[in-house]
Amino acid sequence: MCCGEKLPEGNTARKLCNLDADARREYWACLALRHCHGLGARSVCRLVQHFGSAYAAVQGQAHWREAGVRSDMAQALASNAWRASARMEWDRARTLDAFVIFWKDPAYPPLLRRIVDAPPLLYCLGDISLLQTPCFAVVGARKATEHGLAVAKHMAHRLAACGLTIVSGMALGIDRIAHEAALQGLGRSIGVLGTGIDMAYPRQNMSLFEAMKDNGLLISEFAPGTPPQASNFPIRNRIISGLSLGVLVVEAADRSGSLITARLALEQNRDVYAVPGPALDVHCLGSQELVRQGAQAVFCAEDILRDLAEQLRPYGISMANLSQELEESSGAGSKISTTEHGTKNATQRHVQQPKDGRRHAATLPSGELAAVQQLTATDDTATILRYLCVNGPTQSDVLADAAGLSASATNTVLIGLEMLGQIRRLPGARYEVVT
């Protein structure tokens, strides 16, 4: 039952229907920051990190400059213009049988907390204890080949059998097969949604959505009821990589959305791996380019497990039992190679950012490309492009001021332009035009 259910001792996640006074204050403070006009994800995270909680950040708005946030943003918060949209989110959320976890909570995933744009709260359905387990992301194409699906299934199942929680984005293709393979046997999986926590998308994944609620975990930073919008899916990718020790790209074409996740993983100092795939296969050109740029090429699950051995040791996963676990997960007649294909230091295999942003910028499936083009067909888009052409690499907050847009509206335009290959993102949330 929703309001009567008790959490394990020491777990600070709460059911939305049963928030105490302190949790309600923190929840409303999170909503205030998220719905404050002009505050982007990085600024919100900067405030929460500086003050220690969303509530303390709201209470300390007179001192926002000390956290590196402009004082006029505090004035926007004081105007209370955020209340209407925040109230809509609360009215939808409080009817859900879901957990909410705040950035300040011990239950918040520790790796995700470290990224520069960590969300102030997460909505969760399922086993929230998985947020404290060693996670690894498996991503790839929606329209995957049979070979790509087989590789993803093989990798996800064996990694899960060894104790890693498989993270992916609940999309069709590689994402779906990775989740399903991880849930086999005693495996575990986390699905990061690009919609509200109460929205099962795509409809073909309805059975997977229910399976993840029962045997895995679903999380979302978006307000309940948020529909599947094209701009939300690249945004959620930072959470997929942020939760994970590393990211494996199984199959990615030359202009694949999976490359965004790989790029974000690099910015977050995560390890990136890729299955090169057959030579000259157009479905694998993105994966092959990642390898050329320095990503670790992998040919079996043990390549990844050996490479992450030091990071896995604190979780009780040691090299002494990896071969046995892999053997037990492989089934009769299927052996795992024990050859080490390379254990280069992570600093030696950091992938360099692609120089040709147009060629490697992520795009949507053809059915959704028109939506992104429509999203960026505005005067605001032209203003941002002109500013970048004149001034060169510029931070998103400055672009928002130049265009007279909110931070969220600016991010939507920037993501659309990046997906179309017209701009590329640089370290430090800066953007430049692709020439």
Side-chain angles (χ1 to χ4, degrees):
M1 296 178 59
C2 176
C3 295
E5 182 174 340
K6 284 192 174 182
L7 294 170
E9 186 175 354
N11 199 323
T12 54
R14 298 98 167 160
K15 280 294 182 76
L16 283 162
C17 58
N18 194 29
L19 298 179
D20 59 23
D22 289 340
R24 185 173 284 111
R25 281 195 293 268
E26 182 67 13
Y27 180 70
W28 270 102
C30 288
L31 296 188
L33 295 176
R34 292 209 310 165
H35 291 271
C36 180
H37 182 79
L39 276 183
R42 291 171 67 94
S43 294
V44 171
C45 185
R46 191 178 295 124
L47 289 170
V48 175
Q49 289 176 338
H50 180 81
F51 289 97
S53 70
Y55 182 72
V58 170
Q59 293 297 105
Q61 59 189 276
H63 305 284
W64 278 14
R65 285 184 64 86
E66 299 172 11
V69 176
R70 302 194 318 270
S71 56
D72 60 313
M73 294 294 96
Q75 296 171 5
L77 182 73
S79 72
N80 289 326
W82 55 270
R83 287 188 178 275
S85 56
R87 180 71 196 191
M88 291 176 60
E89 181 169 346
W90 163 244
D91 287 342
R92 182 75 180 239
R94 65 180 178 174
T95 65
L96 299 179
D97 185 23
F99 293 104
V100 62
I101 298 176
F102 306 121
W103 183 92
K104 71 183 185 69
D105 291 342
Y108 196 93
L111 286 179
L112 184 63
R113 184 186 279 115
R114 300 175 191 171
I115 71 173
V116 297
D117 47 5
L121 65 83
L122 295 170
Y123 294 106
C124 304
L125 284 173
D127 183 1
I128 56 175
S129 70
L130 297 186
L131 295 175
Q132 306 303 314
T133 62
C135 296
F136 188 84
V138 177
V139 298
R142 290 181 176 89
K143 296 181 179 180
T145 65
E146 289 298 321
H147 176 265
L149 294 174
V151 171
K153 180 178 181 179
H154 171 88
M155 293 288 191
H157 177 62
R158 296 198 177 200
L159 292 172
C162 290
L164 275 72
T165 298
I166 300 302
V167 181
S168 201
M170 291 293 291
L172 297 175
I174 296 297
D175 286 17
R176 175 172 178 166
I177 203 71
H179 288 304
E180 291 176 341
L183 291 179
Q184 294 178 2
L186 299 177
R188 302 166 294 189
S189 188
I190 296 175
V192 184
L193 305 181
T195 64
I197 194 67
D198 53 341
M199 305 291 288
Y201 176 82
R203 285 179 295 177
Q204 299 96 311
N205 279 354
M206 180 63 74
S207 60
L208 175 61
F209 190 90
E210 294 300 321
M212 292 289 287
K213 286 198 301 183
D214 293 339
N215 302 301
L217 176 67
L218 296 170
I219 66 174
S220 175
E221 68 173 314
F222 298 107
T226 300
Q229 299 170 341
S231 60
N232 287 347
F233 294 96
I235 292 173
R236 65 95 196 266
N237 288 354
R238 81 188 195 286
I239 299 181
I240 294 175
S241 56
L243 288 168
S244 306
L245 295 169
V247 173
L248 172 65
V249 180
V250 173
E251 189 171 78
D254 193 36
R255 294 168 59 86
S256 168
S258 301
L259 302 183
I260 286 184
T261 309
R263 187 207 70 206
L264 292 169
L266 293 172
E267 293 184 5
Q268 297 163 355
N269 199 30
R270 306 296 195 261
D271 292 321
V272 175
Y273 306 85
V275 178
L280 305 181
D281 188 337
V282 295
H283 299 92
C284 301
L285 293 180
S287 303
Q288 292 164 4
E289 184 63 25
L290 284 175
V291 173
R292 279 192 289 269
Q293 295 162 13
Q296 172 108 342
V298 296
F299 304 93
C300 64
E302 194 167 12
D303 290 339
I304 296 169
L305 292 164
R306 288 183 182 277
D307 197 60
L308 292 176
E310 290 301 317
Q311 297 181 69
L312 295 175
R313 187 166 288 112
Y315 297 97
I317 302 175
S318 67
M319 289 303 299
N321 59 15
L322 286 184
S323 296
Q324 179 180 354
E325 290 170 340
L326 286 167
E327 188 74 21
E328 291 173 352
S329 72
S330 64
S334 177
K335 301 295 183 179
I336 295 295
S337 171
T338 58
T339 302
E340 292 191 43
H341 293 280
T343 55
K344 292 185 291 183
N345 186 278
T347 58
Q348 294 177 307
R349 63 170 182 278
H350 277 179
V351 182
Q352 299 300 314
Q353 294 294 325
K355 295 181 180 179
D356 184 350
R358 282 190 188 275
R359 182 182 178 200
H360 301 297
T363 188
L364 294 171
S366 57
E368 299 179 17
L369 179 59
V372 179
Q373 292 172 329
Q374 183 178 6
L375 193 71
T376 55
T378 66
D379 292 339
D380 298 325
T381 299
T383 300
I384 288 174
L385 286 173
R386 282 196 300 269
Y387 191 95
L388 288 173
C389 287
V390 173
N391 297 279
T394 306
Q395 285 192 327
S396 57
D397 291 345
V398 176
L399 292 171
D401 288 340
L405 297 173
S406 68
S408 59
T410 303
N411 286 335
T412 297
V413 173
L414 291 173
I415 288 170
L417 289 172
E418 185 180 8
M419 295 171 76
L420 293 173
Q422 297 183 37
I423 65 173
R424 59 175 158 242
R425 176 171 167 147
L426 303 173
R430 296 179 303 137
Y431 293 83
E432 69 176 3
V433 172
V434 173
T435 57

